[in-house]
Amino acid sequence: MFQTTNMELAKDFWYIIAGVMGTLAACRIVNYYKSQRRLRMCAAKSVEFPTKPSNRFLEAWATLTAVIREASYPQLYVPGRWLSWMTPPPLGRIIALLIYWAIIIYMMTADAIVDDAFFWERIGYRNAWVTVMQVPLMYLLASKCSIIGFIAGTSHERLNWLHRWVARTIFVTATVHGFHFYTEWVLADFVALQFKMMPMVKYGLGAWAILLWSMISSFLPIRRMSYEFFVIQHIVSAVLFLWLIYVHVPASAQYNVWFAIAALCFDRVCRTVLLVWQNVKFAPNKGRCKGGQRVGHQAQVRAVGDSITVVTIKDVHFKWRAGQHLYLWMPHIGLAEAHPYTIACAHQLPETCICNSIQLVVRKHKGFSRRLHNFAAEAQAAGKKERLTAFVSGPYGEPPRWDIYDTIVLISASTGASFTLPILESVLHTKETNCTKRIDFLLTAKQGEEIDFYVTRLHEFIERAKQVGIELLVHIAVTRSGSASAVNHAAANVQEVGSSAASTTGSNLDKEMDEHSVEEPAADIEKAATMSPKKRLSTSSDDSHVHQASVRADVEAFIRGPVEATGGETSVVVCGGPSLVAKVRNCVASLSDERAVHKGTGAQGIQLHVEEYSF
């Protein structure tokens, strides 16, 4: 009786999704045109600021972009150790959710609320269709090899928030669906008979229970209790949920289930092919390095201080871009655990003994990261050079192009420098046309040992910036009380490494894997640690491009300075915890609104890219 209308609404839903994807693809094309035009103007050196809009179309596009940015960046942060997980999404995501919910509510209720004999049944069937039509979208958004991400120019980790909210929306519509049918049965007094006559009902209740469990277990405090368990049970729940709704829905609606199954299988097949291609060498050249392996990669782990582990993975035969990440699997440390880590170097490490190596910086928490750090620390204490077999999957992520902005502001907290430092490295070492003239780099941490690995690499980058004509300003802040010596220690590393700075990019980590290895970057850290305070202060004050502080950095002032000094577009990149991310978001939105960016004042755009500590 209601099927025709319900099926039409389900089709309309996917027409809307297709329209949104087409709009996002069109935006990608315009942004690509804009970036290529900037690079051509930069190469021709025809204007002073090639990142400024050069025609009326790009001026209109820049104004529209600025308005959308100012509306989407702000975020309310809920302070408190036990309450921060309740921080709402940024305003842009909230607006997107409100639009999505408006569409869903319309489809749930349009011409369905009629006070007649079919009141309960009509709404029950309508919400059944509204529920099942969203299921494929939920699985598409969860895919790491994401078709949606490919079209929209983004990646799975930046779509995961929408996956969770679509799943929660499905739970609500499924609850409305079940509530109205159950209420009808109670009013007619044949609940027991209905369960006996229609066994499909119990499968629907089972699917609803899995949705409820998945929603509760996905809340941040709960999934952080044991993230490995969360991942395993989430995969099992996803498969079981598809089977339950397949046997629950009628044949006319099962195409939605097959759509979701196709999305799941496509993702798993792509990831499996990627895993095999990246970790199996059918004809390894063992003569190139003793680390050559047919299956997996040889990895060396090194404990730096009490909380940091540096992992160097040898002979990876794929390329990556600054800001991408991969999944690391070390069976010896965690038999069934694969964890995501940002690739901490931007390009092939210099002086490596084989074709390519990558580095990961892992901060110790619990579980896998704690076992990894303990393993590395115990090996070092025993004087052993432990080598492990590692498997990698990736790289994942679709970071924007970094060299199309006049000014870049990089802000990171602790190991967030694993994201920002490769960006700095990639811009300074690019062999292509580069529009960037100035880079401001802020690195904050509670303890000096958290950032020693990063600051020992900054000397090379300062020298490289001078060579390529880019102004580079480095700010280091270690905020824990009594940390003044730690700040001097960190800044001293930048100066002390001197002529050995090239080794701090990671080559020595690779060389130690050979039998005739030399000192590692950690040796530079230890050398700086043994300097007297007087020596630290003198070396840290030699370069006006390096600034140190033992107090919390003024993020707003740090962003405002380069933005007001530039005549072109600025890119602000932040990687850190929720409080830092929210502060940067609000600062950028406020500054853009205050300067009336691209609204006739001559102020140029401020692009924001955010990476947040969350899993």
Side-chain angles (χ1 to χ4, degrees), residues 147-164:
I147 297 174
I148 292 178
F150 175 77
I151 296 173
T154 186
S155 54
H156 75 94
E157 78 280 359
R158 307 187 76 82
L159 293 171
N160 194 256
W161 72 274
L162 185 56
H163 159 73
R164 290 196 296 268

Side-chain angles (χ1 to χ4, degrees), residues 274-275 277-279 297 313-321 324-327 343 347-348 355-358 360 391-396:
L274 196 63
L275 182 68
W277 177 76
Q278 291 171 341
N279 294 280
H297 305 274
I313 303 174
K314 304 278 284 188
D315 195 18
V316 293
H317 51 283
F318 57 85
K319 296 180 180 179
W320 65 90
R321 289 177 289 159
Q324 289 189 302
H325 66 278
L326 54 75
Y327 281 77
I343 301 173
H347 57 81
Q348 178 178 332
C355 65
N356 216 1
S357 297
I358 59 176
L360 310 174
F391 298 85
V392 297
S393 177
Y396 295 108

Side-chain angles (χ1 to χ4, degrees), residues 149-449:
F150 175 77
I151 296 173
T154 186
S155 54
H156 75 94
E157 78 280 359
R158 307 187 76 82
L159 293 171
N160 194 256
W161 72 274
L162 185 56
H163 159 73
R164 290 196 296 268
W165 282 105
V166 168
R168 292 162 186 167
T169 305
I170 289 175
F171 174 78
V172 172
T173 58
T175 302
V176 174
H177 154 67
F179 170 79
H180 280 78
F181 270 115
Y182 187 79
T183 301
E184 181 184 44
W185 302 338
V186 170
L187 293 175
D189 194 23
F190 62 84
V191 175
L193 180 63
Q194 189 72 14
F195 275 88
K196 184 177 180 180
M197 292 176 55
M198 301 185 68
M200 61 180 290
V201 174
K202 62 184 179 182
Y203 296 114
L205 288 172
W208 181 85
I210 287 180
L211 275 176
L212 175 62
W213 163 251
S214 297
M215 184 181 68
I216 294 174
S217 64
S218 66
F219 287 126
L220 190 60
I222 296 177
R223 72 175 185 260
R224 275 186 173 173
M225 290 180 182
S226 179
Y227 189 71
E228 294 83 1
F229 172 74
F230 165 77
V231 172
I232 293 173
Q233 64 83 25
H234 204 64
I235 294 173
V236 174
S237 297
V239 175
L240 185 58
F241 175 74
L242 284 178
W243 177 75
L244 287 171
I245 61 172
Y246 178 79
V247 296
H248 173 68
V249 302
S252 58
Q254 286 180 347
Y255 71 88
N256 292 284
V257 183
W258 285 113
F259 189 179
I261 292 173
L264 179 63
C265 292
F266 176 81
D267 178 53
R268 289 292 165 177
V269 169
C270 285
R271 290 164 61 181
T272 301
V273 171
L274 196 63
L275 182 68
V276 172
W277 177 76
Q278 291 171 341
N279 294 280
V280 177
K281 305 179 189 67
F282 297 100
N285 185 356
K286 295 184 178 295
R288 296 167 65 188
C289 179
K290 294 184 179 181
Q293 294 184 195
R294 184 179 298 275
V295 178
H297 305 274
Q298 188 178 99
Q300 180 224 346
V301 295
R302 171 80 182 184
V304 180
D306 296 329
S307 60
I308 301 297
T309 309
V310 179
V311 181
T312 302
I313 303 174
K314 304 278 284 188
D315 195 18
V316 293
H317 51 283
F318 57 85
K319 296 180 180 179
W320 65 90
R321 289 177 289 159
Q324 289 189 302
H325 66 278
L326 54 75
Y327 281 77
L328 174 66
W329 173 35
M330 287 182 162
H332 185 80
I333 305 297
L335 185 60
E337 300 178 38
H339 295 265
Y341 295 106
T342 302
I343 301 173
C345 51
H347 57 81
Q348 178 178 332
L349 297 176
E351 302 178 15
T352 50
C353 56
I354 54 178
C355 65
N356 216 1
S357 297
I358 59 176
Q359 284 183 313
L360 310 174
V361 180
V362 181
R363 184 174 183 178
K364 183 177 72 173
H365 292 286
K366 58 182 180 179
F368 175 85
S369 60
R370 176 175 295 179
R371 294 194 300 271
L372 179 64
H373 186 273
N374 292 342
F375 175 86
E378 291 171 3
Q380 287 174 214
K384 298 179 181 179
K385 298 177 182 178
E386 293 290 350
R387 300 174 177 87
L388 301 173
T389 295
F391 298 85
V392 297
S393 177
Y396 295 108
E398 286 292 332
R401 185 160 186 167
W402 307 110
D403 56 2
I404 59 174
Y405 299 98
D406 187 273
T407 300
I408 302 178
V409 180
L410 303 173
I411 302 172
S412 55
S414 187
T415 52
S418 292
F419 182 82
T420 57
L421 203 64
I423 296 173
L424 172 62
E425 184 179 5
S426 67
V427 173
L428 295 179
H429 287 84
T430 183
K431 297 180 180 179
E432 301 176 359
T433 303
N434 191 348
C435 298
T436 305
K437 300 175 183 177
R438 171 175 171 171
I439 303 175
D440 286 60
F441 189 94
L442 172 62
L443 177 56
T444 69
K446 292 182 178 180
Q447 302 179 60
E449 70 170 21

Side-chain angles (χ1 to χ4, degrees), residues 2-20 98-114 119 121-135 137 169-170 172-174 176-177 180 255-256:
F2 320 114
Q3 182 168 309
T4 301
T5 301
N6 293 339
M7 292 186 70
E8 288 299 321
L9 285 172
K11 291 180 181 179
D12 291 342
F13 174 78
W14 282 100
Y15 288 145
I16 294 172
I17 297 297
V20 172
L98 291 176
I99 294 173
Y100 182 79
W101 286 340
I103 295 170
I104 295 300
I105 291 172
Y106 169 78
M107 292 185 171
M108 290 170 66
T109 59
D111 299 325
I113 304 177
V114 180
F119 173 82
E121 195 168 349
R122 183 185 295 106
I123 297 176
Y125 273 120
R126 172 65 60 81
N127 282 273
W129 274 93
V130 171
T131 297
V132 75
M133 76 183 184
Q134 297 177 82
V135 170
L137 178 62
T169 305
I170 289 175
V172 172
T173 58
V176 174
H177 154 67
H180 280 78
Y255 71 88
N256 292 284

Side-chain angles (χ1 to χ4, degrees), residues 68 71-72 89-102 161:
I68 294 175
S72 61
L91 183 58
R93 293 182 178 183
I94 292 176
I95 294 172
L97 279 176
L98 291 176
I99 294 173
Y100 182 79
W101 286 340
W161 72 274

Side-chain angles (χ1 to χ4, degrees), residues 7 57 62 66-67 69 157 171 470 498 541 558 579 583 603 610 612:
M7 292 186 70
F57 170 74
V67 172
R69 287 172 176 174
E157 78 280 359
F171 174 78
I470 294 177
S541 61
F558 182 78
S579 61
K583 182 180 295 185
V610 170
E612 184 177 340

